[in-house]
Amino acid sequence: LAELYAADGLFGRLVAAAPGPWRDYTEHEFVRGLGDGSLPRAAFQRYLIQDYLFLIHFSRAYGLAIYKTTDPVEMRAFQATLDAILNHEMALHIATSAEWGLSERDLADTPEHPANLAYTRFVLDCGLAGDLLDLAVALSPCVIGYAVIGGALAASAAAATPYRKWIDAYAGAEYREVAQSAAKLLDRLAARRGGAAREPELARLFAQACRLEASFWQIGLTG
Amino acid sequence: LAELYAADGLFGRLVAAAPGPWRDYTEHEFVRGLGDGSLPRAAFQRYLIQDYLFLIHFSRAYGLAIYKTTDPVEMRAFQATLDAILNHEMALHIATSAEWGLSERDLADTPEHPANLAYTRFVLDCGLAGDLLDLAVALSPCVIGYAVIGGALAASAAAATPYRKWIDAYAGAEYREVAQSAAKLLDRLAARRGGAAREPELARLFAQACRLEASFWQIGLTG
Amino acid sequence: LAELYAADGLFGRLVAAAPGPWRDYTEHEFVRGLGDGSLPRAAFQRYLIQDYLFLIHFSRAYGLAIYKTTDPVEMRAFQATLDAILNHEMALHIATSAEWGLSERDLADTPEHPANLAYTRFVLDCGLAGDLLDLAVALSPCVIGYAVIGGALAASAAAATPYRKWIDAYAGAEYREVAQSAAKLLDRLAARRGGAAREPELARLFAQACRLEASFWQIGLTG
Amino acid sequence: LAELYAADGLFGRLVAAAPGPWRDYTEHEFVRGLGDGSLPRAAFQRYLIQDYLFLIHFSRAYGLAIYKTTDPVEMRAFQATLDAILNHEMALHIATSAEWGLSERDLADTPEHPANLAYTRFVLDCGLAGDLLDLAVALSPCVIGYAVIGGALAASAAAATPYRKWIDAYAGAEYREVAQSAAKLLDRLAARRGGAAREPELARLFAQACRLEASFWQIGLTG
């Protein structure tokens, strides 16, 4: 299995620079509950609802990424992600939610939780106040982190966990490739946008994004 | 005393359209604690620290407002607010914090709380995804709301509350004028940006901003 | 043949409000030269090169449009346009340019002409300073105007004009549908963003966009 | 006299990387006409009108700059520039224009020339698509270039040129300091935003900004 990201690439260095926030996010109690099956059904439902609302603003971040480049290769990569989210993931999300007893109305009518909103608006603001590299770094705990979490859970999860399908989706080859491409794109952007000299500031941004992802898991646990 | 805002102006109608979120914000337990003096010192200190960080992003919102207009009158109004925040309020805030035992380092080095970040980034995103009217509506619970809260507390607060200075600042004539101007500017923007037809969407935005302001008070109470 | 746009829809009213700039753009000497075949080959080549660079910034405008909405229906419409531009039109443009003796390097290495840059950056700034309706109005002389021009030329062009393929592309059923959808989207956005009350300001924006489109044609004629 | 900018600072290196566009801008026929007095009165009037419109969008760029930083020192620097433009330069500009026979209505009612619009919208787009360093580089041919031009003309201009007041304004100590501060700020931003590794891209941006400044002079000559 090819590694998800190179330890000496930008993503690897960001993880190394923010070990606490990274661990608090990727090994959050919610994540452990997915693996050992102890996560309450209501917690997963709350997560599913907020994650649907998240996908909308996540799509907005990819629209913004297209605005922020003039490179057709990068544009096409972001456009492909948008296609995947808007034309596949959202429908899949609605189907999954239905399996867990949630209607499309439940998804669309629940207000965004402040901790959900905090992460997506932080990402968008990083993108508009900063450049495309800031935007990509702010998105990376989500895009690459989910593959890390899925992979770890696939190796360790209880056979009988009811969250097997979720784990398999993010551990699967298709999502691994999404995450691997995102890690490579980070290095490409870092090369053309002076990433090496910006790492202290990028590491603070990355740490904040990890903290906001951890707060997102917390919505599931405490509503 | 001239009224803060006209009941039939845009701000008055937004308050009327979102009575629950408006009350939860303006009559929050934190606010009551300012008035009767029951608010713990540590809660006020947490508030002061986050409010300093808030001022930085609040200034960014006024910079954005200048970007979003070509009308010199509006530009000068926003520039005057920036002058007030950057060259007066911030120094005042540092002085007040010192009286409460907080150094400038305490203010600058504490990370933004997610609930703080959620409000400011929501405001900025409303401003960039929407227009100047969306931005002004998103800012209004803060700008005008503080004068409402200050005025209400000035009339009802316990004589011995240690938070008298805070109350007087937001109940004073100078801040009242700031709030009155902001309410008038909302009507001006509404007139030229089709506000009447947009009220349902603006009321949702306003309600969300009030909820995020309430979460901001909550930082003080629960850290 | 279904009409391209309703005379009493927003686009129809904008055209009626800016008859001079609209005519100067849609009946520009360059356009007449496409129809009667008098347009010099070098003029068309200059146009092709600048139009390729235009497509890149046009794509950025659609990325921005996705950022500026939370409505999945609108998001999918903009994403479909991006797919069409990035994955079809650009390749078609390269093929057409090759037929006219221009290599892909000719397209990518020529600097943007100031008059080209003026239009795309004006559109993007309308979108960021204003809202999604401002953005859509700024794009409309291009999106819908090309179908108007294509349709008019298809009815009137000389049999032997060497620009027949260009005319057919913009007169064809497929592009007509693109333009018709764009006109309908304008009305949808006007309904939810207070368009009726904003028409004087939108008409000025539309007139400016038409003038910038006319300057774009002029690049072809005078380089 | 302290130098305007260090040859080995970012601005000095950008000038060295784009000698042609820099010369075409700073030694433009319009500039020579200011110096030897040969510039027609109507050309200067056209320039004055467009420059007033330019100031409005230039202010918007400084508003955007405030949005794009969280550093109070930078914020205050940009706010001071806004204060200077909105509360002094604009009034001065109106007074100067009156001396040249132009009313305030002449200034406000003339539409922006495409070549004027091209430069300001290019600057704003650089700022939103890129980061604060991109924005500052896009502004630098204007902010620092005018002091270079003013200084050169002050040393060489004909005694009887009717444009002496304009020359003195940009050659004067006060404006020199503005330009010197802007050059220092560029270095500060370059240090924290990876400027060294981005110089090829920044030099292209700078060259384009110089070309657009030259087109701006051309408005005066050819209307």
Side-chain angles (χ1 to χ4, degrees), chain D residues 65-82:
Chain D
I66 292 174
Y67 164 70
K68 288 184 82 78
T69 185
T70 58
D71 177 338
V73 172
E74 291 172 10
M75 284 182 162
R76 285 188 189 109
F78 298 132
Q79 190 276 329
T81 303
L82 273 170

Side-chain angles (χ1 to χ4, degrees), chain C residues 91-217:
Chain C
L92 191 66
H93 203 101
I94 290 168
T96 304
S97 301
E99 291 173 23
W100 288 86
L102 300 165
S103 72
E104 199 169 341
R105 282 268 60 90
D106 292 329
L107 301 179
D109 288 355
T110 306
E112 278 180 282
H113 190 283
N116 182 357
L117 186 151
Y119 181 38
T120 56
R121 300 318 191 279
F122 173 78
V123 167
L124 293 166
D125 183 44
C126 286
L128 279 154
D131 67 358
L132 187 52
L133 177 58
D134 293 296
L135 179 57
V137 167
L139 285 166
S140 67
C142 176
V143 181
I144 307 175
Y146 265 51
V148 171
I149 291 166
L153 290 178
S156 67
T161 176
Y163 306 110
R164 173 63 60 186
K165 246 174 117 169
W166 187 95
I167 294 168
D168 288 349
Y170 291 108
E174 198 178 346
Y175 193 76
R176 277 187 77 81
E177 272 178 47
V178 168
Q180 285 161 334
S181 298
K184 277 181 198 132
L185 184 57
L186 274 184
D187 287 325
R188 175 191 175 117
L189 294 174
R192 74 170 175 81
R193 297 293 304 179
R198 292 164 54 185
E199 281 195 27
E201 207 172 300
L202 291 173
R204 276 193 296 277
L205 192 166
F206 180 79
Q208 183 66 285
C210 288
R211 279 191 287 268
L212 294 168
E213 279 279 24
S215 299
F216 191 97
W217 291 134

Side-chain angles (χ1 to χ4, degrees), chain A residues 60 63 67 76 79 86-87, chain C residues 56 60 63 67 76 79 86:
Chain A
R60 296 178 57 217
Y67 164 70
R76 285 188 187 107
Q79 190 277 329
L86 294 170
N87 301 320
Chain C
I56 290 174
R60 296 177 58 217
Y67 164 70
R76 284 187 188 108
Q79 191 277 328
L86 294 170

Side-chain angles (χ1 to χ4, degrees), chain B residues 60 63 67 76 79 86-87, chain D residues 60 63 67 76 79 86-87:
Chain B
R60 297 177 58 216
Y67 164 71
R76 285 188 188 109
Q79 190 276 330
L86 293 170
N87 300 321
Chain D
R60 297 177 58 217
Y67 164 70
R76 285 188 189 109
Q79 190 276 329
L86 294 170
N87 300 322

Side-chain angles (χ1 to χ4, degrees), chain A residues 46-211:
Chain A
R46 275 193 294 268
Y47 162 80
L48 282 175
I49 289 174
Q50 291 297 322
D51 202 42
Y52 178 79
L53 301 171
F54 177 86
L55 279 181
I56 289 173
H57 297 279
F58 195 57
S59 301
R60 296 178 57 217
Y62 279 91
L64 183 60
I66 292 173
Y67 164 70
K68 289 184 80 79
T69 185
T70 56
D71 177 339
V73 173
E74 291 172 11
M75 284 183 161
R76 285 188 187 107
F78 298 132
Q79 190 277 329
T81 303
L82 272 171
D83 180 34
I85 301 172
L86 294 170
N87 301 320
H88 304 279
E89 274 195 56
M90 277 178 141
L92 191 66
H93 202 101
I94 290 168
T96 304
S97 300
E99 292 172 24
W100 287 87
L102 299 166
S103 72
E104 201 169 340
R105 282 267 62 88
D106 292 329
L107 301 180
D109 287 355
T110 305
E112 279 181 281
H113 190 284
N116 181 359
L117 187 151
Y119 181 38
T120 56
R121 301 317 192 279
F122 173 78
V123 166
L124 293 166
D125 182 44
C126 286
L128 279 154
D131 67 359
L132 188 52
L133 177 57
D134 293 296
L135 178 57
V137 166
L139 285 166
S140 68
C142 175
V143 180
I144 309 175
Y146 265 52
V148 170
I149 291 166
L153 289 179
S156 69
T161 177
Y163 306 110
R164 175 62 61 183
K165 247 173 116 167
W166 187 96
I167 294 169
D168 288 348
Y170 291 107
E174 197 177 346
Y175 194 76
R176 277 187 76 81
E177 271 178 47
V178 168
Q180 284 162 335
S181 300
K184 276 180 198 134
L185 184 59
L186 274 184
D187 287 324
R188 175 189 175 118
L189 294 174
R192 76 170 174 82
R193 297 292 305 178
R198 292 164 54 183
E199 281 196 25
E201 208 172 297
L202 291 173
R204 275 193 296 277
L205 192 166
F206 180 79
Q208 184 65 286
C210 288
R211 278 191 287 269

Side-chain angles (χ1 to χ4, degrees), chain C residues 4-83:
Chain C
L4 267 172
Y5 57 88
D8 61 349
L10 177 58
F11 190 79
R13 290 196 305 276
L14 292 172
V15 166
W22 174 251
R23 195 181 48 242
D24 293 347
Y25 157 47
T26 55
E27 302 176 18
H28 192 275
E29 186 186 340
F30 187 99
V31 173
R32 289 201 309 272
L34 289 169
D36 63 22
S38 66
L39 185 75
R41 177 185 170 87
F44 193 64
Q45 286 174 321
R46 277 194 293 269
Y47 162 79
L48 283 175
I49 290 174
Q50 292 298 322
D51 202 42
Y52 178 79
L53 301 171
F54 177 86
L55 279 181
I56 290 174
H57 297 278
F58 194 58
S59 300
R60 296 177 58 217
Y62 280 90
L64 183 59
I66 293 174
Y67 164 70
K68 289 183 81 79
T69 184
T70 56
D71 177 338
V73 172
E74 291 172 10
M75 285 182 162
R76 284 187 188 108
F78 298 132
Q79 191 277 328
T81 303
L82 272 171
D83 181 33

